Amino acid sequence: MWAVASAVICASLVLAPHGGGTVDFNGDGYEDYAISAPSGTVGHTLKAGYIAILYGAASGVDPARRRILHLDSANVPNDPVAADAFGARTAAGDFNADGYTDLAVSSYNPFDLDRRFVTLLWGGKDGLALGTPLIDPPRPGVAPDLVDRAEGRELAAGDFDGDGSADLAATGERGTVNIFHGPFRRDGSAARKVTLGGSYEDPKRLVAGDLTGDGKDDLVTMHAWEERAEPSLFWKGGPQGLAGRPARLDAATTATVGDIDGDHYGDLVMRVAPGGFVDTLKSDKGTIKILYGSADGPGRRTRTLTQDSPGVPGTGERGDQFGFDLAAGDVDGDGYADLAAGLPGKAGGGAVLLFRGGRDGPAGARLFTQASPGVPGTAEDGDRFGASVSLRDPNGDGKADLGVGAPGESGTAKGTGAAWVLPGSTGGLTTDGARSFDPAALQASDTGSHLGMWSAK
């Protein structure tokens, strides 16, 4: 259990890809945040899902400056259906190149193929308020149509062709990865659509960032078939987008991108699949691997980290799930990306490890839990503190704050979920001024909402 403090949220993500850049939905110069409750009730519709948007300011993010969006919101298309899971995945970028950040939001209903789609929420001076469904680009003589029914189970935004407009990578119904190139029109159609070629197993996660330092974002896709993990694939960005054959990388389940060693190449940080299998993830201690970026792509230099590595506090235990979610951002303003790794299965309610970046890569790890001095609340088994992590600067002070989601937290009701923010400073992450909030603080649906399952990427 925990007490709600003056609430602030920090929702995502990596050192931002070129296509995403600063996440500023209302264009006021302060970054904004979005965090998902895909199990949230909308009206009387169970598990329809909602997203909480909080707008930044010099004083940080305040629930008083919030917007709750779902499929029953005014100016958002579709009506909610049970189990739609609106907000199951999100990706932020300026898709229509108007200077405001937009948000792509997936709905993925496990029981209804026709309820699997992407909604584009458009930024503007009043923030995110208007939405349209993602549709295929117009074709001569053919009316625009919704994309594949299952489009968007996984999403990632980046500028893959370097034209200055954000592009959207989205999984498709038949195990494909589709790239929707910007600039998008306000009717929800992209300038063009390309399906990545070749043969690959079902994509399970997508992550974008500039790993080669050429000013164009690259894409890494992670794959599995039944219980077995398959090699991840590195797709290099270029003038025509993600062209050519992909390079094979380690099998992984999630990843983030950030310049941890300060060499101006994005580094790929992955949670590797234990023994090459995905059916043992819940019992996994957890291992992350850093594939340092270079002009030729990631992987020429690597480093592996576990909880048993030198300088890492604590001991790896069965079910910790070290690296369940990952984020990169500069906590202390020294020019190096720092690395946050969630351990939601850690005994006592979960934890987050924060590694400081530097010339030689990550070092100086610190462990944070609800039991850490200065962190609001009480740690309890099942909270899953660290199920989502983010590093972003909400108040414009040049130092990223750590946002943490705990979807298993029970606050005013069972399974409300909750989120915390721990401020960055020149001395690193601090719990001085740490804040927390639950759905009640946002005046949103509470019981079973599991707020914090996903934060905007």
Side-chain angles (χ1 to χ4, degrees):
M1 300 291 293
W2 60 292
V4 178
S6 177
V8 172
I9 176 179
C10 183
S12 181
L13 111 61
V14 303
L15 272 174
H18 292 279
T22 298
V23 177
D24 185 1
F25 299 127
N26 59 3
D28 64 356
Y30 293 98
E31 285 195 273
D32 309 314
Y33 298 98
I35 193 165
S36 299
S39 296
T41 298
V42 175
H44 299 289
T45 306
L46 299 177
K47 298 185 178 181
Y50 64 82
I51 295 175
I53 311 296
L54 292 98
Y55 295 101
S59 58
V61 184
D62 189 328
R65 298 188 301 273
R66 72 188 180 284
R67 177 167 287 160
I68 306 299
L69 292 173
H70 43 68
L71 292 174
D72 201 32
S73 297
N75 300 316
V76 175
N78 282 298
D79 293 317
V81 170
D84 271 352
F86 180 79
R89 293 290 185 266
T90 58
D94 185 4
F95 297 118
N96 60 352
D98 65 352
Y100 297 97
T101 306
D102 313 304
L103 190 68
V105 183
S106 71
S107 299
Y108 193 81
N109 192 313
F111 309 112
D112 188 344
L113 293 177
D114 291 325
R115 302 296 299 181
R116 301 176 183 180
F117 51 85
V118 174
T119 302
L120 296 174
L121 300 174
W122 303 109
K125 65 178 182 179
D126 296 322
L128 298 177
L130 175 67
T132 55
L134 174 66
I135 59 176
D136 273 322
R139 291 169 289 172
V142 179
D145 193 9
L146 291 175
V147 298
D148 291 345
R149 294 180 302 189
E151 196 69 53
R153 184 187 62 199
E154 299 293 335
L155 302 171
D159 184 3
F160 303 120
D161 53 12
D163 67 353
S165 297
D167 310 316
L168 180 66
T171 54
E173 181 182 13
R174 290 172 289 276
T176 59
V177 177
N178 296 314
I179 309 300
F180 296 87
H181 283 273
F184 288 65
R185 299 168 181 83
R186 287 296 286 261
D187 66 359
S189 63
R192 60 190 176 101
K193 172 185 170 183
V194 176
T195 299
L196 296 184
S199 176
Y200 44 84
E201 300 294 354
D202 193 18
K204 298 298 184 184
R205 191 59 62 88
L206 311 176
V207 65
D210 185 3
L211 296 159
T212 61
D214 64 355
K216 304 172 185 65
D217 284 319
D218 312 302
L219 181 72
V220 176
T221 59
M222 286 149 272
H223 304 264
W225 175 250
E226 296 181 345
E227 75 282 356
R228 185 161 188 87
E230 298 293 332
S232 302
L233 300 177
F234 165 69
W235 306 82
K236 188 179 185 306
Q240 302 304 314
L242 303 172
R245 294 176 60 86
R248 291 160 64 98
L249 304 174
D250 297 83
T253 61
T254 192
T256 191
V257 177
D259 185 5
I260 296 173
D261 59 357
D263 64 355
H264 306 294
Y265 297 105
D267 305 314
L268 178 66
V269 185
M270 315 169 78
R271 180 193 178 192
V272 299
F277 292 91
V278 295
D279 59 347
T280 58
L281 287 172
K282 289 185 178 180
S283 61
D284 182 32
K285 291 183 179 180
T287 299
I288 62 176
K289 187 172 183 178
I290 302 165
L291 284 67
Y292 290 100
S294 72
D296 299 320
R300 297 185 66 179
R301 292 188 299 125
T302 65
R303 181 178 175 186
T304 299
L305 290 171
T306 71
Q307 292 179 80
D308 301 313
S309 297
V312 179
T315 302
E317 298 175 332
R318 177 182 170 86
D320 282 351
Q321 302 177 54
F322 172 51
F324 183 89
D325 196 26
L326 298 163
D330 188 357
V331 168
D332 51 14
D334 66 353
Y336 297 96
D338 307 304
L339 174 66
L343 301 88
K346 193 76 172 171
V352 176
L353 274 167
L354 193 285
F355 297 82
R356 295 186 73 172
R359 184 181 302 175
D360 297 322
R366 296 177 63 194
L367 186 73
F368 295 88
T369 73
Q370 286 189 70
S372 298
V375 177
T378 302
E380 295 177 324
D381 286 336
D383 286 348
R384 294 192 63 76
F385 185 85
S388 64
V389 293
S390 59
L391 286 170
R392 183 176 288 171
D393 178 11
N395 59 3
D397 68 354
K399 303 167 187 66
D401 301 334
L402 172 66
V404 183
E409 182 71 57
S410 292
T412 55
K414 185 175 178 59
T416 58
W420 286 254
V421 61
L422 281 63
S425 72
T426 54
L429 199 66
T430 177
T431 60
D432 292 340
R435 303 177 181 181
S436 60
F437 70 92
D438 69 354
L442 303 173
Q443 300 181 12
S445 171
D446 51 10
T447 304
S449 289
H450 300 297
L451 182 73
M453 289 180 66
W454 183 258
S455 53
K457 306 296 185 187

